[in-house]
Amino acid sequence: MSDEQPVRLHCFAHSAGGVSVFDGWAESAGPGVEVRAVSLPGEQRRRSEPRVTTHEALLADLLPQFTGPPCGPYVLYGHGLGALVALTVTRALHEAGVPGPALLAVSACPPPHTPSALPDVRGATDADVLHLLGGQGAVPPGSDEGIVLRAMLPVLRADLELAKALEEAARTPSSTGPLTTPVLVVSSQANPLAPPTITDGWWQWTQGPVRSRTVPGRHFFVRGGRELPRLLGRACRVAGRLARQRVPVG
């Protein structure tokens, strides 16, 4: 193996989720990749902190983690809400003139410019929220996923408010122009909220290459299984190798 530092894979969870969804990913991602699950305020390891619901609060919490001394190529990955978080951080680094990720990987998330399927929780009832996520087929009736959503509804509402804020902020044109970051879009065939056709829209969010992959499962395909972390591990190794080739020597 090379003496090079591993590529760090920073992972952001879906709404009402937590970093435990990434347990076991280190082994599946394979050699040369260091998996780092990033907790937001209010999530699992930080459950005593109030959840963030605004674009400004999110960046105030996260940006210091990515603006320190460079430590080699890294990748940002997010599922659902986590994809919007990863995009938000990537754009903020770009606007600040700070080196960003070698790859932005998103899954189960339409690009922000598309008509949103997310409810405006400021005026939605609990039934409205559950109907949207369960009634459209993303969560089959009576499934464990539906039970989890009901139990986590207060947290889910806060996360949906954050998702709305991030979508709105993303639609504001950047003064520094579009991203040049490569993007990997992962989707699943059985996810009506973010079908494989979402890949087409992500081309509008970067001048870099956009690649797509489809995996089995419904909306929460991030949970369990080795196929997704293996896919991201391979993508990290490729992105890291290409990023190092672009760095001038001497």
Side-chain angles (χ1 to χ4, degrees), residues 43 94 138:
E43 289 182 357
H94 176 68

Side-chain angles (χ1 to χ4, degrees), residues 46-227:
R46 304 177 64 184
R47 63 171 55 90
S48 63
E49 303 174 47
R51 300 183 84 84
V52 295
T53 57
T54 67
H55 175 261
E56 295 76 15
L58 177 79
L59 289 180
D61 183 81
L62 289 180
L63 273 190
Q65 301 182 44
F66 299 98
T67 53
C71 56
Y74 67 92
V75 171
L76 296 186
Y77 163 72
H79 185 91
L81 169 64
L84 290 175
V85 172
L87 172 65
T88 298
V89 172
T90 302
R91 291 189 81 205
L93 293 171
H94 176 68
E95 291 169 357
V98 177
L103 173 71
L104 170 63
V106 297
S107 66
C109 184
H113 71 276
T114 59
S116 177
L118 298 176
D120 186 346
V121 295
R122 293 166 293 187
T125 65
D126 289 352
D128 291 335
V129 176
L130 292 171
H131 174 73
L132 176 80
L133 297 176
Q136 291 189 357
V139 180
S143 70
D144 290 344
E145 293 172 3
I147 294 171
V148 169
L149 284 179
R150 285 171 173 79
M152 296 294 292
L153 193 54
V155 169
L156 179 61
R157 292 183 70 99
D159 285 351
L160 287 171
E161 186 174 347
L162 174 61
K164 276 292 187 182
L166 299 186
E167 282 184 345
E168 292 170 358
R171 293 182 189 127
T172 302
S174 173
S175 60
T176 54
L179 296 174
T180 56
T181 310
V183 175
L184 171 65
V185 185
V186 185
S187 57
S188 60
Q189 290 286 356
N191 183 5
L193 294 180
T197 53
I198 64 171
T199 302
D200 297 339
W202 279 103
W203 283 97
Q204 300 184 33
W205 289 87
T206 183
Q207 292 182 338
V210 177
R211 299 290 182 266
S212 65
R213 296 293 184 271
T214 303
V215 298
R218 298 188 296 269
H219 184 69
F220 294 108
F221 59 83
V222 69
R223 298 177 183 168
R226 295 185 176 184
E227 184 169 352

